[in-house]
Each structure stands twice: as structure tokens, then as C-alpha cells.
Amino acid sequence: MSKGKLPKRYNAIVMPLILSLLMTSVVSAISILRAQGLTAAALAMWPSAWALSWAIAFPVLLLVLPVVRRVTAAIVET
């Protein structure tokens, strides 16, 4: 194991964790800004909107990622 890196077995948790953090932050920001406009209230609301969306997205990603990998393998040549 390289210094400062997690073992390979953690890939199944770390990848969906990072993906869910990035995607929910972008999607929640777009949704809030589209609905509220760029206001102080919208910016104040964003962290709670992001936290709720991440709390839902991360477990969903953990559940669906194996299925997505199988579907991808079925349609993409390796």
C-alpha cells in the first residue's frame, strides 16, 4: 500500500462517495439558482439542499452502481 492511499478494496465506497459529492453539489446549486435566482437567500439555502440531495444520492449510488457496471459492460466493448 502506498503511503497516504487507501487499499484498493475501498474503491467501491470512495468512487461513489466522490461522485455523489460532486454531482449533488452541482445539481443542487443549479436547481436552487434556477428557482430562486442568485440571491443571498438562495446561497443560504444551498447547503441544506445539497446535504439532503447527497444523503439520498450516496446510498442510491451504492445500490445502483453494480447494475450500471453490468449494463455498461453489456453495451461497451472491452
Side-chain angles (χ1 to χ4, degrees):
M1 180 170 96
S2 299
K3 187 175 182 179
K5 288 191 174 186
L6 294 170
K8 190 174 183 174
R9 69 180 179 267
Y10 290 104
N11 186 57
I13 298 293
V14 173
M15 195 275 295
L17 174 68
I18 293 169
L19 181 60
S20 66
L21 288 169
L22 292 172
M23 290 303 297
T24 57
S25 64
V26 170
V27 171
S28 63
I30 290 169
S31 296
I32 292 274
L33 292 175
R34 183 150 161 74
Q36 302 283 325
L38 187 56
T39 64
L43 295 176
M45 186 184 302
W46 176 76
S48 64
W50 167 78
L52 176 61
S53 63
W54 179 79
I56 294 166
F58 181 55
V60 168
L61 266 174
L62 290 175
L63 292 172
V64 302
L65 198 55
V67 174
V68 171
R69 284 187 177 128
R70 284 193 296 273
V71 170
T72 302
I75 61 176
V76 175
E77 193 173 310
T78 56

